């Protein structure tokens, strides 16, 4: 038995699979693979084909399906890359394209299986040997478009790169130059976007330098009293007043004059006071004759933007009264909570169904304030905790005051050395007026940045002597200060702030609603309840779960224990089950009343035995 | 010692249950799936959250039981003696001492035996053959070939043949049933050797006189309950839970663990926390309905005509009254 095993592993006989499905046998795996690769290299076989060969199991896998992750490589023959200077020049002049290179066999796309089994890829041209089959175009291409914009990513820990990439998507910038004509439901525009001083080679390719999303901040790494603990940041008030990270927020409301079955339709107008659900008159004050608000009017929450009346929801209402016009209901579009804004523009058009369509765009200025979120491109995010007057902030001997102060504790545990390098690079760039290249694996090295700083008379490590703005005293320690690109993220407190004391309740349970849009409360959940039990705070539990929630007074029959009713016309209370009239008024949560009803629906009759509180 | 101080006693109306639950539950969320091993036992013993759940659920078949067997003074100091006993305890099946080969062509099973090993354990080849024929109980023909191997032929289906060979493999020969992987370890405190063995079988070990029965320990709480009683089981629950928390480096006051153990043993037998145990047997209908299987509890209560006395916490919150704990426990009385 052992003998046959040996011969099998030694033989070159292989099983061939095409796209994972058994195709057949071949007597010589090496030869098969060699000839397939040769045929593919002269493009007799499609470049979409990838092949892998497992000598141990004697399997050859051919793959041509979609959905495999593949990367392009320069083909190498006899230790020489097939891509020549001639190709590059032709590419530049536009004579040939990328696709031509692939068709010619200069570029191969490899999938992960082929990369692992049949290829030998050189990272750099200098290390090429005759054994190599392919050459990496650029090692930095292992990342995608977004990660490639992170400066010095090879100096950061990988979780931070992931976080930086996801935060870059939330940054405010100039997302479209025609933003004035667009009616996006929400949009942010940064006032003065700046091109980053430290940037990688992909910036121009991605047009990031044409639509940047951030600004270069002067940042000091130090503590500022207690204000920048736990990722909080301190911002210079004078910088903010000089429009640092200032942005504008657009929000669009829209409505349509809909037609309903039965020939009725909505009407855009200033509603009559006798209409169903008429709001306070004050709220309609900004409407024009046509029932639509005018541009450049300032609005507050609950203000009507577009006045609209609709036909009643149910036809019976029409039938009982016979008059259609009088019984129409109010259906206006109003500004939601927190919308202190100016009407930017009003658009009148027609919807696809041919109805009159109105869009109102509100504009509000968003000056950075305490609670707004900022992030560098290294996954270092923070929230403004204090906007300090410039005179209270530290300054260098040349009089430079930081725009932002971050806490040194934010750096070591997260291992974002790239953040430090970018600060150094930004400082060097600001001094000599050249952009600093921070491309992965090939960015300007630290030594060169240090040399630049030295050349301009700065401490080469980026640390400077700072003076306390309040006392004027010199700090005992030197402070690392530099220029780094910071982004304002679209999590603005002014769009999130929400409070409630009293407010709407749910129809079914009589409990407070949930969520900011419904002016809801914050849930006092099961675990919070457990905590109060743990403290023995029984009055407080009752307050949270009953008084401040869904307390109701229910009549309970003292004889049979079922829920009673009150007949308003006869001014009499009675029990519908036993016809008794002895009633007790019991306070309970509406949810419990609902539970009793549901138990009844199970054909179980719950009785409440009432009595005086013991 | 005798004089119990009043200071550590909690106040009336203190919510000890909730506090115990929180004190155990909060570190429980931090418990990692990281697992350590008991020294000497190669097999994986569940630790951390899985083990905690196992204890609290009072499982009968725990995923890996262990026993610590201490011997009487005559044996425990001598490593060689202890090792000999350990070897004797370990269960050996036919599959472990012999090679069992199926021959489907001739519908037979061949058992190749290491006779020398058998004789070292005081079992002759003849006795083994007898044992096997007794085990098969005439369902197959048993023959011996040249005193080296046993040939079993049976006129059955192939499936039956395979089943037979599987059964033969697990035929008990030496040691105590259910015990495997016996290793000898040294107790650093008392400088004596003890045996750590996988599996749990107290009733068989009871018969061995070398064993110091008073120090026998198993991590199977159900076994402890059966052989040593409810008080021992309670102590075992405390010990096991405490051990799980300590191994994870989580500091939990024993008194919280003791409260849980007390609750689990309060009816005189070990019962789980949860649907089939403490929570499922609560007095209040509303509290049970609020926990799990709402409709089942409501309907059953209606069939029996049950009444909710409203003494617990959950039910009073449901109906919107103050709970009878803490500040709700006391009342003002007019004099």
């Amino acid at each position: 038995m052992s003998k046959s095993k040996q011969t099998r592993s030694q033989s070159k006989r292989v099983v061939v699979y095409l796209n994972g499905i058994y195709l057949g046998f071949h007597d010589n795996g090496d030869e098969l693979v060699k000839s397939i690769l040769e045929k593919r290299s002269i493009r007799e076989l499609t470049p979409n084909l990838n092949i892998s060969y497992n000598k141990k199991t004697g399997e050859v896998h051919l793959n041509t399906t979609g959905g495999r992750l593949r990367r392009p490589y320069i083909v190498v023959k006899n230790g020489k890359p097939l891509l020549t200077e001639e190709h590059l020049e032709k590419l530049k002049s536009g004579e040939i394209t990328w696709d031509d290179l692939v068709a010619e066999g200069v570029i191969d796309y490899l999938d992960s299986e082929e990369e692992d089994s049949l290829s030998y890829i050189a990272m750099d041209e200098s290390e090429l040997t005759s054994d190599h089959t392919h050459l990496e175009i650029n090692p930095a291409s292992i990342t995608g478009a977004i990660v490639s914009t992170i400066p010095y990513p090879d100096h950061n820990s990988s979780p931070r790169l992931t976080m930086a990439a996801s935060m870059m998507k939330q940054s405010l910038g100039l997302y479209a130059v025609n933003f004035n004509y667009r009616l996006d439901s929400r949009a942010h525009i940064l006032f003065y976007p700046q091109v980053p001083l430290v940037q990688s080679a992909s910036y121009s390719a991605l047009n990031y330098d044409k639509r940047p999303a951030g600004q270069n901040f002067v940042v000091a790494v130090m503590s500022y009293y207690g204000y920048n603990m736990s990722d909080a940041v301190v911002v210079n008030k004078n910088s903010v007043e000089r429009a640092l990270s200032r942005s504008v927020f657009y929000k669009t409301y829209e409505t349509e004059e809909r037609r309903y079955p039965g020939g009725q339709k909505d009407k855009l107008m200033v509603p009559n006071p006798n209409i169903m659900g008429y709001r306070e008159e004050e709220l309609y004050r900004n409407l024009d004759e046509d029932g639509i608000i005018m541009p450049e009017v300032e609005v507050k929450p609950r203000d009507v933007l577009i006045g609209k009346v609709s036909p009643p929801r149910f036809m019976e209402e029409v039938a009982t009264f016979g008059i259609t016009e009088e019984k129409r209901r109010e259906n206006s579009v109003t500004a939601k909570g927190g919308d202190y804004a100016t009407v930017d523009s009003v658009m009148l058009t027609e919807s696809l169904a041919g109805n009159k369509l109105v869009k109102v765009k509100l504009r509000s200025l968003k000056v950075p304030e305490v609670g707004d979120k900022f992030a560098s491109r290294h996954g270092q995010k923070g929230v403004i905790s204090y906007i300090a007057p410039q005179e209270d902030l530290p300054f260098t001997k040349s009089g430079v005051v930081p725009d932002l102060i971050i806490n040194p504790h934010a750096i070591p545990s997260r291992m974002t050395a790239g953040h430090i390098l970018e600060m150094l690079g930004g400082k060097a760039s600001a001094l000599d007026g050249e952009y600093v290249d921070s491309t992965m694996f090939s960015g300007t090295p630290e030594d060169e940045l240090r040399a630049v700083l030295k050349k301009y008379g700065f401490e080469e490590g980026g640390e400077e002597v700072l003076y306390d703005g309040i006392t004027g005293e010199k700090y005992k320690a030197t402070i690392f200060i530099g220029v780094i690109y910071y982004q304002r993220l679209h999590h603005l407190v002014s769009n999130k702030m929400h409070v409630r004391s009293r407010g709407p309740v749910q129809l079914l349970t009589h409990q407070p609603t949930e969520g900011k849009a419904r002016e809801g409360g914050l849930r006092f959940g099961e675990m919070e309840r457990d905590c109060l039990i743990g403290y023995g705070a029984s009055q407080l539990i009752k307050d949270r779960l009953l008084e401040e929630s869904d307390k109701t007074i229910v009549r309970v029959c003292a004889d049979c224990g079922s829920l009673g009713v009150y007949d308003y016309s006869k001014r009499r209370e009675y029990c519908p089950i036993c016809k008794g009239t002895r009633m007790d008024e019991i306070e309970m949560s509406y949810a419990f009343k609902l539970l009793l009803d549901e138990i009844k629906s199970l054909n179980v009759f719950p009785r409440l035995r009432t009595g005086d509180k013991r | 010692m005798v004089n119990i101080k009043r200071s550590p006693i909690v106040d009336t109306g203190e919510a000890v249950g909730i506090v115990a639950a929180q004190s155990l539950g909060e570190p429980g969320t931090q418990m990692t799936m990281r697992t350590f091993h008991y020294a000497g036992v190669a097999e994986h013993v569940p630790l951390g959250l899985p083990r905690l759940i196992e204890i609290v659920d009072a499982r009968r078949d725990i995923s890996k039981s262990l026993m610590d067997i201490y011997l009487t003074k005559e044996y425990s100091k001598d490593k060689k003696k202890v090792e000999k006993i350990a070897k004797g305890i370990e269960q050996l099946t036919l599959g472990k001492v012999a090679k069992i080969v199926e021959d489907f062509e001739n519908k037979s099973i061949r058992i190749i035996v290491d006779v020398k090993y058998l004789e070292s354990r005081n079992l002759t080849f003849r006795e083994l053959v007898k044992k096997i024929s007794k085990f098969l109980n005439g369902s197959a023909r048993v023959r011996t070939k040249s005193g080296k191997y046993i040939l079993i032929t049976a006129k059955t289906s192939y499936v039956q043949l395979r089943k037979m060979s599987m059964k033969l493999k697990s035929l008990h020969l030496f040691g105590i049933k259910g015990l495997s992987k016996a290793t000898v370890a040294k107790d650093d405190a008392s400088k004596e050797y003890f045996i750590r063995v996988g599996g749990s079988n107290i009733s068989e070990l009871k018969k061995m006189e070398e064993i110091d029965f008073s120090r026998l320990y198993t991590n199977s709480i159900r076994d402890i309950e059966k052989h040593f009683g409810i008080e021992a089981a309670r102590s075992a629950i405390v010990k096991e839970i405490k051990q799980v928390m300590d191994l994870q480096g989580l500091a939990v006051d024993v008194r919280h663990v003791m409260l849980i153990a007390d609750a689990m043993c309060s009816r005189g037998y070990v019962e789980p926390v949860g649907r089939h145990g403490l929570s499922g047997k609560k007095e209040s209908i509303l509290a049970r309905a609020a926990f799990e299987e709402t409709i089942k509890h409501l309907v059953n209560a209606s069939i029996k005509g049950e009444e909710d006395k409203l003494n617990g916490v959950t039910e009073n919150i449901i109906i919107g009254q103050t709970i009878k704990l803490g500040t709700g426990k006391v009342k003002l009385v007019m004099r």
Side-chain angles (χ1 to χ4, degrees):
Chain A
M1 196 176 106
S2 59
K3 206 180 171 188
S4 68
K5 216 175 205 174
Q6 217 170 25
T7 47
R8 208 200 299 169
S9 69
Q10 276 174 346
S11 89
K12 287 170 180 173
R13 197 172 150 89
V14 288
V15 192
V16 186
Y17 295 89
L18 177 64
N19 295 328
I21 295 160
Y22 169 76
L23 197 69
F25 281 100
H26 191 277
D27 284 332
N28 193 329
D30 291 347
E31 253 171 46
L32 174 74
V33 167
K34 201 178 155 199
S35 73
I36 288 176
L37 284 178
E38 254 163 34
K39 288 210 164 126
R40 190 183 67 180
S41 73
I42 54 167
R43 295 296 183 249
E44 209 168 281
L45 283 169
T46 167
N48 291 329
L49 173 90
N50 285 115
I51 175 167
S52 74
Y53 180 22
N54 188 336
K55 282 193 181 176
K56 258 188 201 156
T57 56
E59 284 173 275
V60 171
H61 282 272
L62 304 171
N63 280 306
T64 59
T65 50
R68 288 169 296 133
L69 190 64
R70 302 164 83 225
R71 294 188 69 234
Y73 293 97
I74 299 165
V75 178
V76 174
K77 271 225 171 102
N78 305 323
K80 288 263 151 50
L82 293 188
L83 188 75
T84 57
E85 287 296 323
E86 199 187 325
H87 283 120
L88 293 177
E89 262 159 44
K90 277 185 180 173
L91 265 177
K92 268 179 200 155
S93 63
E95 213 173 308
I96 55 167
T97 62
W98 173 265
D99 291 340
D100 294 324
L101 291 181
V102 177
E104 205 184 306
V106 176
I107 300 287
D108 264 356
Y109 277 95
L110 303 188
D111 69 356
S112 56
E113 281 184 52
E114 184 166 344
E115 273 179 12
D116 286 346
S117 72
L118 286 169
S119 63
Y120 185 37
I121 303 161
M123 275 296 140
D124 193 85
E125 206 175 337
S126 60
E127 64 188 44
L128 276 178
T129 65
S130 56
D131 290 337
H132 283 102
T133 62
H134 292 89
L135 171 65
E136 182 76 66
I137 297 170
N138 184 346
S141 66
I142 59 167
T143 66
I146 295 178
V147 173
S148 76
T149 63
I150 298 172
Y152 293 111
D154 45 339
H155 293 264
N156 283 340
S157 68
S158 73
R160 290 288 144 185
L161 295 185
T162 321
M163 293 162 84
S166 54
M167 276 187 276
M168 264 192 271
K169 298 176 211 164
Q170 304 173 3
S171 59
L172 308 189
L174 185 70
Y175 72 102
V177 275
N178 63 343
F179 67 89
N180 259 328
Y181 303 103
R182 295 170 60 107
L183 289 155
D184 303 276
S185 53
R186 346 177 120 249
H188 292 271
I189 296 291
L190 187 67
F191 269 36
Y192 298 105
Q194 292 178 351
V195 174
L197 296 178
V198 180
Q199 48 178 259
S200 56
S202 63
Y203 273 62
S204 54
L206 294 168
N207 274 344
Y208 192 89
D209 49 355
K210 296 207 174 66
R211 283 170 189 64
Q215 290 177 331
N216 298 293
F217 285 30
V218 175
V219 173
V221 184
M222 58 177 278
S223 77
Y224 186 75
Y225 298 95
Y227 283 107
N228 58 0
M229 291 188 286
S230 305
D231 276 337
V233 294
V234 173
V235 181
N236 184 334
K237 189 176 181 212
N238 295 48
S239 304
V240 169
E241 284 164 2
R242 280 179 227 118
L244 180 94
S245 272
R246 187 168 291 208
S247 71
V248 65
F249 174 55
Y250 294 106
K251 188 173 179 182
T252 308
Y253 288 93
E254 59 171 89
T255 194
E256 188 186 333
E257 250 183 17
R258 279 187 57 201
R259 284 164 215 275
Y260 296 91
Q264 289 173 310
K265 59 184 274 196
D266 295 334
K267 190 153 192 251
L268 298 184
M269 60 186 285
V270 184
N272 284 323
N274 57 3
I275 203 168
M276 242 171 76
Y278 187 75
R279 292 160 208 268
E280 298 138 66
E281 199 177 346
E282 149 98 6
L283 299 175
Y284 298 101
R285 69 187 185 283
N286 296 321
L287 296 189
D288 209 354
E289 285 163 23
D290 58 356
I292 302 167
I293 206 161
M294 287 171 292
E296 298 306 324
V297 169
E298 293 197 359
V299 296
K300 291 203 294 272
R302 296 179 65 231
D303 277 358
V304 175
L305 305 175
I306 307 161
K308 187 165 91 167
V309 287
S310 301
R313 233 175 285 222
F314 306 106
M315 291 305 278
E316 307 124 67
E317 290 172 41
V318 188
T320 42
F321 294 99
I323 322 145
T324 34
E325 206 56 38
E326 298 296 301
K327 266 292 155 192
R328 293 171 78 88
R329 81 192 145 91
E330 146 78 17
N331 195 13
S332 300
V333 174
T334 58
K336 284 180 182 160
D339 278 353
Y340 292 92
T342 311
V343 179
D344 187 71
S345 59
V346 176
M347 189 187 73
L348 274 140
T349 182
E350 222 173 51
S351 71
L352 282 176
N355 299 326
K356 188 174 175 184
L357 177 74
V358 183
K359 290 193 177 195
V360 175
K361 183 158 83 167
L362 299 186
R363 150 175 42 91
S364 49
L365 181 66
K366 301 290 184 188
V367 180
E369 58 179 321
V370 171
D372 283 356
K373 192 177 174 186
F374 285 79
S376 75
R377 292 172 292 173
H378 306 271
Q380 289 283 9
K381 56 177 179 246
V383 172
I384 300 182
S385 59
Y386 181 50
I387 299 181
Q390 178 159 337
E391 55 271 26
D392 288 350
L393 287 168
F395 52 90
T396 69
K397 70 172 178 192
S398 46
V400 174
V401 182
D403 296 314
L404 190 90
I405 300 177
I406 61 166
N407 197 299
H409 294 300
I411 311 292
S413 59
R414 294 169 190 161
M415 298 177 285
T416 53
H419 194 276
I420 306 289
L421 260 178
E422 192 195 339
M423 282 176 73
L424 210 62
K427 198 168 180 179
S429 170
L431 288 171
D432 74 352
E434 298 280 336
Y435 289 124
V436 167
D437 177 30
S438 63
T439 314
M440 188 190 280
F441 306 125
S442 63
T444 313
E446 187 193 339
D447 303 346
E448 286 177 33
L449 301 177
R450 279 170 168 270
V452 174
L453 290 183
K454 204 172 180 185
K455 188 178 143 197
Y456 287 92
F458 280 84
E459 190 62 47
E460 60 176 317
E463 290 143 359
E464 289 185 44
V465 174
L466 256 66
Y467 299 86
D468 188 322
I470 295 173
T471 64
E473 276 172 36
K474 194 159 87 173
Y475 286 130
K476 277 183 183 159
T478 52
I479 304 294
F480 185 68
I481 183 167
V483 179
I484 180 168
Y485 200 65
Y486 257 82
Q487 300 156 320
R488 189 178 185 197
L489 308 185
H490 67 216
H491 302 283
L492 311 178
V493 254
S494 56
N495 287 336
K496 294 190 169 185
M497 203 174 66
H498 166 60
V499 287
R500 164 179 171 138
S501 55
R502 284 171 290 173
V505 290
Q506 276 162 13
L507 196 67
L508 181 70
T509 60
H510 289 200
Q511 285 168 357
T513 50
E514 194 197 328
K516 187 190 170 226
R518 276 163 286 162
E519 212 194 313
L522 296 176
R523 187 183 157 86
F524 190 82
E526 210 174 312
M527 293 174 91
E528 288 76 14
R529 182 207 70 154
D530 288 349
C531 287
L532 292 193
I533 296 173
Y535 283 113
S538 69
Q539 304 297 323
L540 184 54
I541 300 178
K542 198 185 160 212
D543 189 61
R544 288 288 97 201
L545 268 40
L546 187 74
E547 315 278 348
E548 300 287 274
S549 179
D550 57 349
K551 182 178 161 181
T552 40
I553 306 282
V554 165
R555 278 161 239 275
V556 177
C557 176
D559 298 325
C560 76
S562 60
L563 299 189
V565 290
Y566 184 75
D567 187 336
Y568 272 91
S569 58
K570 290 175 185 162
R571 294 172 183 245
R572 209 166 58 89
E573 49 188 19
Y574 65 95
C575 170
I577 307 284
C578 70
K579 309 297 174 199
T581 50
R582 287 202 309 132
M583 288 287 164
D584 287 317
E585 287 193 345
I586 301 293
E587 88 183 17
M588 62 171 69
S589 73
Y590 193 81
F592 183 60
K593 191 237 149 202
L594 211 64
L595 175 70
L596 293 178
D597 292 344
E598 289 210 23
I599 291 174
K600 280 175 219 160
S601 75
L602 284 175
N603 268 341
V604 172
F605 180 45
R607 290 173 196 270
L608 301 179
R609 212 151 286 167
T610 55
D612 285 331
K613 263 211 178 123
R614 276 165 290 151
Chain B
M1 281 295 274
V2 188
N3 183 18
I4 299 167
K5 296 251 167 69
R6 280 201 63 80
S7 55
I9 295 176
V10 292
D11 294 323
T12 315
E14 180 83 47
V16 281
I18 285 273
V19 174
Q22 288 182 340
S23 305
L24 236 81
E26 194 275 335
T29 59
Q30 300 179 28
M31 231 185 256
T32 48
M33 297 302 278
R34 256 185 318 153
T35 45
F36 302 98
H37 296 274
Y38 280 110
V41 180
E43 264 177 89
H44 174 79
V45 178
L47 289 163
L49 212 55
R51 174 67 183 146
L52 195 66
I53 292 167
E54 209 170 71
I55 300 165
V56 163
D57 281 352
R59 297 248 176 88
R60 230 167 270 277
D61 51 331
I62 59 171
S63 56
K64 182 81 183 121
S65 50
L66 278 180
M67 291 190 96
D68 279 349
I69 302 163
Y70 283 87
L71 306 174
T72 51
K73 288 270 149 61
E74 301 151 46
Y75 300 92
S76 67
K77 300 278 175 190
D78 189 345
K79 196 178 179 186
K80 282 208 171 129
K81 280 185 188 167
V82 178
E83 270 172 352
K84 202 184 164 198
I85 294 167
K87 219 175 159 191
I89 285 172
E90 213 176 79
Q91 184 191 11
L92 279 181
T93 55
L94 186 61
K96 289 239 172 84
V97 296
K99 204 172 170 185
I100 298 174
V101 186
E102 294 154 344
D103 183 354
F104 286 109
E105 209 175 319
N106 302 317
K107 284 198 175 171
S108 66
I109 300 167
R110 208 178 325 162
I111 302 170
I112 302 150
V113 192
D114 185 351
V115 184
K116 269 188 189 160
Y117 180 79
L118 283 183
E119 273 159 9
S120 78
R121 300 290 299 258
N122 295 326
L123 188 78
T124 58
F125 185 64
R126 210 166 264 261
E127 281 168 330
L128 178 68
V129 175
K130 236 181 200 173
K131 229 175 185 170
I132 290 171
S133 7
K134 201 182 162 195
F135 180 69
L136 292 172
N137 202 14
S139 61
R141 233 179 100 203
V142 182
R143 278 180 296 171
T144 55
K145 283 271 167 93
S146 61
K148 266 184 194 164
Y149 63 89
I150 306 165
L151 191 72
I152 297 165
T153 42
K155 281 176 191 148
T156 52
S157 66
Y158 297 120
V159 181
Q160 288 296 321
L161 197 74
R162 167 58 61 85
K163 273 186 185 165
M164 191 183 282
S165 86
M166 297 304 276
K167 267 186 192 165
L168 281 169
K169 260 182 197 167
S170 58
L171 173 65
H172 173 79
L173 286 185
F174 312 109
I176 294 171
K177 268 184 190 166
L179 299 188
S180 61
K181 302 232 159 98
T183 46
V184 174
K186 195 175 183 183
D187 190 330
D188 289 328
S190 62
K191 304 257 182 244
E192 58 185 335
Y193 295 96
F194 67 96
I195 303 163
R196 178 160 283 176
V197 63
S200 180
N201 190 344
I202 295 180
S203 40
E204 282 295 316
L205 284 169
K206 249 180 187 172
K207 296 171 190 163
M208 290 176 70
E209 53 189 32
E210 301 98 319
I211 285 167
D212 184 357
F213 192 60
S214 65
R215 286 193 291 168
L216 190 67
Y217 186 73
T218 168
N219 64 356
S220 168
I221 287 153
R222 291 289 191 172
D223 274 2
I224 291 181
E225 185 197 359
K226 196 171 154 195
H227 294 278
F228 298 92
I230 189 72
E231 287 296 335
R234 192 208 81 113
S235 304
I237 293 172
V238 175
K239 187 181 166 175
E240 288 292 321
I241 294 181
K242 190 75 189 135
Q243 189 178 23
V244 168
M245 304 310 282
D246 287 348
L247 273 171
Q248 298 278 322
L250 304 169
V252 177
D253 195 295
V254 251
R255 284 169 286 187
H256 298 309
V257 182
M258 283 158 74
L259 185 76
I260 288 171
D262 283 343
M264 286 176 72
C265 301
S266 63
R267 281 166 211 257
Y269 53 90
V270 177
E271 62 180 341
V273 181
R275 196 176 358 182
H276 305 291
L278 294 174
S279 302
K281 286 177 182 167
K282 278 184 184 171
E283 198 197 341
S284 164
I285 309 149
L286 287 174
R288 268 182 282 133
F291 176 61
E292 264 173 17
E293 303 174 304
T294 310
I295 292 172
K296 186 184 116 184
H297 286 298
L298 290 178
V299 172
N300 285 343
S302 80
I303 292 167
K304 292 177 197 157
E306 274 186 73
E307 186 176 357
D308 201 314
K309 298 267 192 252
L310 302 178
N311 286 324
V313 174
T314 324
E315 50 270 37
N316 276 305
I317 288 177
I318 291 173
I319 65 157
Q321 284 185 352
T322 51
I323 55 168
K324 290 174 179 178
L325 269 182
T327 56
K329 184 93 184 168
V330 291
K331 274 177 195 81
L332 288 180
V333 179
M334 189 100 74
R335 217 190 263 218

